[in-house]
Amino acid sequence: QVQLVESGGGSVETGGSLRLSCVASGDTTSNYCMAWFRQAPGKEREGVATISQSGVKSFDSNYAGAVKGRFIIIQDNRKKTTYLQMNNLQPEDTAMYFCAFKTGSFCTFASSFRSWGQGTQVTVSS
């Protein structure tokens, strides 16, 4: 079982930046996929970014169109931490952000992630 704890959320103005962190503990592996999702009030949960690694291969990352070019997902295996660097934040980025974990290096936003964090709130004011 993998436990995830997010942090780093907060309130910023339009154009600002935040870096979210997701620390994993428990039975992590070298063949995995990590993801960030978000859910705004009254809206469906949506995928933001994924990052995966299989063995010693390089990381493979993917982004939702709405954040591509503004957000960067970074994995630090030594710290078992996944970061989401969010730049040029916009009011539509306001949401609760969750990180998620699954075994296996192939994943999409529709994959079955078996571990989820409790979420961290991001609020962007105009």
Side-chain angles (χ1 to χ4, degrees):
Q1 185 71 20
V2 173
Q3 294 78 43
L4 304 173
V5 178
E6 303 100 330
S7 62
S11 297
V12 297
E13 294 185 348
T14 298
S17 297
L18 283 173
R19 187 175 76 163
L20 306 184
S21 299
C22 172
V23 179
S25 61
D27 188 18
T28 58
T29 73
S30 61
N31 186 1
Y32 65 86
C33 179
M34 295 292 299
W36 285 97
F37 289 82
R38 67 186 182 186
Q39 187 167 20
K43 294 189 176 181
E44 296 281 323
R45 185 176 65 196
E46 63 177 355
V48 176
T50 65
I51 189 164
S52 61
Q53 185 180 29
S54 177
V56 298
K57 294 181 180 179
S58 60
F59 295 112
D60 182 31
S61 58
N62 291 283
Y63 299 90
V67 307
K68 193 172 293 185
R70 300 189 297 124
F71 291 12
I72 303 170
I73 187 168
I74 303 164
Q75 181 68 22
D76 185 334
N77 280 338
R78 288 183 303 170
K79 296 182 179 180
K80 291 189 175 182
T81 301
T82 308
Y83 302 99
L84 185 68
Q85 177 65 43
M86 306 187 295
N87 301 318
N88 191 22
L89 283 161
Q90 302 297 312
E92 53 266 34
D93 295 317
T94 295
M96 184 72 79
Y97 283 71
F98 302 88
C99 65
F101 165 90
K102 68 176 290 293
T103 56
S105 59
F106 175 77
C107 67
T108 69
F109 295 136
S111 297
S112 295
F113 289 87
R114 69 178 190 181
S115 297
W116 292 81
Q118 82 289 348
T120 186
Q121 178 68 38
V122 171
T123 303
V124 185
S125 58
S126 57

